[in-house]
Amino acid sequence: MGIVVCGSLNMDFVVSVKVLPAHGETVLGQNFQMIPGGKGANQACAAGRLISEGARVRMIGRIGHDVFGDHLKASLSAAGVDVSAVTQSRSQPTGVALIAVESSGQNTIVVASGANMDMPAADVEAMRRVFRGNTVALFQLESPLETVKAALALAREEGLTTILDPAPAQPLANDLLSQVDILTPNEVEALGLLGRTASRLTPREAAPIAEELRARGPRRVILKLGDQGCFASDGETAAHYPGFRVDAVDATAAGDTFNAGLAVGLSEGMSFADAIRMANAAAAISVMRRGAQSSAPSRAEVDALLG
Ligand code: RIB
């Protein structure tokens, strides 16, 4: 029983700025830091910190033969994540992300994928033994699309609940989306998947968008609404789950931490609604701290916020 995360590992190069630069603008930043990141590894790290004793989290991904890769594996191991299925690329360096965070907590992220994109779909069958016997599988889109699609299908075949964070935003075909049990886009990703321009959504506006997305294949949709929490629909029940009010300093990896909380809740047999509340609480704590994996909360912190 446990969680498998299939996805990216990046070393994040993070600089704080007062205000994010406009096109063509140079701004002076402060506090350069290297922090373990990558959407996949962030989800694995946060799940490792949240999961109860006796259950485990496994990471599938690819790094380069370099010091960043070693550091990323060590960060996951320290969170209790099994990294035996993290392999090394023969030709590509470990992925890196250049991140600027402004004082409002909002950020911009540019990823150089490196080894994360050196994961051919032909390698997926070898993942079967990693998925086998587990309950929830987490995916994102910082790996080749064909690989994500094949791995989703394999996880389904092995009986796992599949959760896809469709980030970074990109068009997705219905045959991929129909391998997804729970799709968790933010507003930009949700509207992008429907071919519309990004805008902020109210929970009321999110309701029909969630249904349009469900019609494309996923069994359930959780539309993340930032500080408004999220809107979730499984076809029978549709509801808004308000976010926790906190002082945000850095939104980096909030979505990844949300997905980790959701996966941990579901893997422990919680109802869909309770798992979403746990996900909201984990994400709220993460935005009060700087960085990606450095911001993932412990289970005790999440339980305390949930009261
Ligand atoms: O979701 C945040 C993550 O996106 C960062 O850690 C960065 O590495 C990019 O993958």
Side-chain angles (χ1 to χ4, degrees):
M1 195 194 83
I3 295 171
V4 180
V5 183
C6 180
S8 60
L9 303 93
N10 296 327
M11 182 55 78
D12 291 351
F13 291 66
V14 187
V15 177
S16 313
V17 292
K18 262 205 195 108
V19 179
L20 293 170
H23 286 184
E25 187 186 9
T26 301
V27 296
L28 296 181
Q30 300 143 9
N31 301 331
F32 170 70
Q33 279 182 291
M34 282 193 278
I35 302 175
K39 294 185 193 302
N42 296 343
Q43 294 185 1
C45 176
R49 291 201 189 139
L50 292 173
I51 206 161
S52 300
E53 228 158 278
R56 70 173 178 174
V57 179
R58 301 194 69 176
M59 174 86 205
I60 298 173
R62 197 153 285 178
I63 52 174
H65 275 275
D66 48 47
V67 67
F68 293 149
D70 298 343
H71 202 74
L72 289 166
K73 273 175 81 169
S75 175
L76 290 183
S77 298
V81 177
D82 178 335
V83 292
S84 55
V86 174
T87 53
Q88 284 183 314
S89 167
R90 295 211 179 108
S91 57
Q92 295 297 315
T94 297
V96 296
L98 309 180
I99 304 183
V101 184
E102 70 173 20
S103 41
S104 70
Q106 292 309 310
N107 60 25
T108 58
I109 304 182
V110 179
V111 175
S113 296
N116 294 307
M117 284 293 171
D118 184 22
M119 290 241 304
D123 289 3
V124 164
E125 184 53 37
M127 298 176 189
R128 188 180 291 280
R129 62 181 176 80
V130 185
F131 286 118
R132 186 155 289 169
N134 288 295
T135 36
V136 181
L138 289 161
F139 302 86
Q140 330 74 39
L141 298 177
E142 288 183 332
S143 313
L145 216 45
E146 282 308 306
T147 304
V148 175
K149 188 172 146 192
L152 275 163
L154 186 68
R156 268 277 188 88
E157 257 176 61
E158 290 295 329
L160 285 82
T161 297
T162 56
I163 303 180
L164 174 67
D165 201 12
Q170 57 186 286
L172 296 175
N174 289 2
D175 61 346
L176 185 150
L177 288 169
S178 58
Q179 299 291 343
V180 176
D181 290 307
I182 309 177
L183 185 73
T184 61
N186 64 18
E187 293 145 305
V188 175
E189 293 145 7
L191 291 166
L193 280 171
L194 297 171
R196 306 206 187 123
T197 320
S199 67
R200 286 230 67 184
L201 296 171
T202 62
R204 189 185 288 263
E205 289 165 337
I209 305 283
E211 290 318 316
E212 277 186 69
L213 287 170
R214 269 193 354 95
R216 300 222 18 225
R219 219 157 44 88
R220 294 164 159 176
V221 169
I222 302 177
L223 215 162
K224 296 175 194 163
L225 300 168
D227 58 4
Q228 302 178 95
C230 63
F231 186 90
S233 170
D234 63 6
E236 282 167 15
T237 314
H240 173 222
Y241 296 81
F244 291 81
R245 293 263 156 249
V246 293
D247 290 328
V249 298
D250 184 352
T252 308
D256 304 330
T257 308
F258 179 98
N259 280 37
L262 178 72
V264 168
L266 294 175
S267 76
E268 294 181 0
M270 284 182 195
S271 68
F272 190 44
D274 283 346
I276 291 174
R277 285 188 199 102
M278 175 147 146
N280 265 344
I285 297 171
S286 80
V287 301
M288 294 193 284
R289 300 172 181 162
R290 295 188 191 282
Q293 289 171 36
S294 49
S295 68
S298 68
R299 181 61 173 266
E301 290 172 309
V302 170
D303 287 345
L305 183 59
L306 287 168

